Amino acid sequence: MVADDSRVVRVKTGRLLSAHDYQVLTAEDGLDAARQIEGTVPDILVTDVDMPGLDGFQLSRQVRADPRTAHVPIIMVTSDNDELRSQAAAVGVNVVLGKPYPEELLINHIERLMMAQAGR
């Protein structure tokens, strides 16, 4: 699942993931993502930090607090700084990617996290 309030980011990231044979769900913001996750648990969550409704930190806390979704790997994409990295780690985010990032880096992180999930 890709949760980002930017339509351009959702489309671009969705196309990238689809090109690598991933099925992609998109959410317009944190609230939309939380609603969708209630019905369908994603294999991985790629989320922005700054979104209306629930921001990326609130969404990540909610995902980690639910036993059905606590195992879901979370990749947070944001303007990179040390404070955000420590906040992200505190709420259980697996990877923080600074904008802009090389597309292959996102794919590499997803592949690694998915392999780790398969081995859990």
Side-chain angles (χ1 to χ4, degrees):
M1 172 178 282
V2 176
D4 199 304
D5 58 320
S6 166
R7 183 178 182 281
V8 170
V9 171
R10 288 192 311 272
V11 169
K12 183 179 177 191
T13 307
R15 284 183 182 154
L16 171 66
L17 297 177
S18 292
H20 285 83
D21 297 324
Y22 291 105
Q23 291 180 334
V24 182
L25 298 173
T26 59
E28 295 180 0
D29 56 36
L31 284 174
D32 185 26
R35 280 193 290 269
Q36 289 188 51
I37 290 170
E38 285 178 14
T40 304
V41 176
D43 292 326
I44 198 158
L45 173 61
V46 179
T47 184
D48 188 18
V49 171
D50 296 319
M51 296 183 290
L54 286 177
D55 68 24
F57 292 114
Q58 294 165 319
L59 176 60
S60 296
R61 277 190 212 94
Q62 190 169 326
V63 167
R64 290 291 178 249
D66 184 338
R68 291 179 328 109
T69 58
H71 68 280
V72 172
I74 302 172
I75 297 175
M76 187 172 277
V77 180
T78 186
S79 50
D80 197 16
N81 70 44
D82 289 338
E83 182 181 337
L84 284 178
R85 283 186 178 280
S86 62
Q87 283 181 282
V91 299
V93 171
N94 300 85
V95 174
V96 176
L97 287 179
K99 293 178 183 176
Y101 57 86
E103 291 180 344
E104 282 306 309
L105 184 59
L106 175 62
I107 297 302
N108 291 341
H109 281 301
I110 290 172
E111 289 172 354
R112 181 183 56 80
L113 291 166
M114 295 294 289
M115 284 176 33
Q117 278 298 100
R120 72 174 171 108

